Amino acid sequence: MSQVNQDDLEEKPLDPEMEKVRRKMVRLLAVSIGIMFIGLMAVLGAIVYKFTQADGADTGGQIAAGSTMALPGDDVNEAVATLPQGFKVESVALDGTRIGFFGRAADGSQRLIIHDVSQGRIVSDVVVISR
């Protein structure tokens, strides 16, 4: 009942019109694969370009944390960090344009005061409490 005829298993040649259609479809497939490959390379190129660009290229005039401030020539950048009255500095840390002053206030509490040189003001005053 389910006998396979030997003639059905052999591949018969296509007629000339169908062979033309097959060739056109293969050509279209090759062109489509080429276009997709070019598009993929363009996307990967854009990703690589984006990651290799300098960080902070467009910060809107602000300097990112961890970056350095470039000064033209031999100019000296001067700033005044006004700390609270009676504050005793125990240690100082620098991160780009931010200076962290760790110490004790006049009331004896531990505090961390962060001064941003680029903004010229204290940007954070943290009271440290140990529990």
Side-chain angles (χ1 to χ4, degrees):
M1 212 173 211
S2 63
Q3 261 184 344
V4 177
N5 196 357
Q6 191 65 14
D7 290 337
D8 291 340
L9 291 177
E10 293 178 14
E11 213 174 288
K12 296 177 181 155
L14 296 174
D15 63 352
E17 289 298 317
M18 287 304 291
E19 184 64 26
K20 286 182 186 177
V21 170
R22 188 189 70 81
R23 284 184 183 156
K24 284 184 182 179
M25 293 299 287
V26 168
R27 191 177 318 128
L28 178 64
L29 178 67
V31 169
S32 297
I33 289 173
I35 290 172
M36 291 295 286
F37 183 74
I38 290 170
L40 180 66
M41 289 298 114
V43 169
L44 290 177
I47 291 171
V48 169
Y49 175 78
K50 190 69 172 176
F51 278 116
T52 57
Q53 290 302 303
D55 291 338
D58 185 22
T59 58
Q62 292 183 349
I63 299 173
S67 65
T68 59
M69 252 179 26
L71 297 175
D74 292 331
D75 291 346
V76 176
N77 189 9
E78 295 181 6
V80 175
T82 306
L83 300 174
Q85 186 72 27
F87 184 80
K88 302 245 188 273
V89 177
E90 294 177 359
S91 67
V92 177
L94 178 65
D95 179 26
T97 62
R98 293 185 176 182
I99 304 171
F101 298 98
F102 185 76
R104 294 196 179 274
D107 61 358
S109 63
Q110 290 184 327
R111 293 170 71 178
L112 172 65
I113 298 174
I114 300 174
H115 176 78
D116 194 329
V117 176
S118 66
Q119 295 179 7
R121 64 183 182 90
I122 292 177
V123 293
S124 182
D125 187 355
V126 181
V127 177
V128 181
I129 300 172
S130 58
R131 294 182 183 207

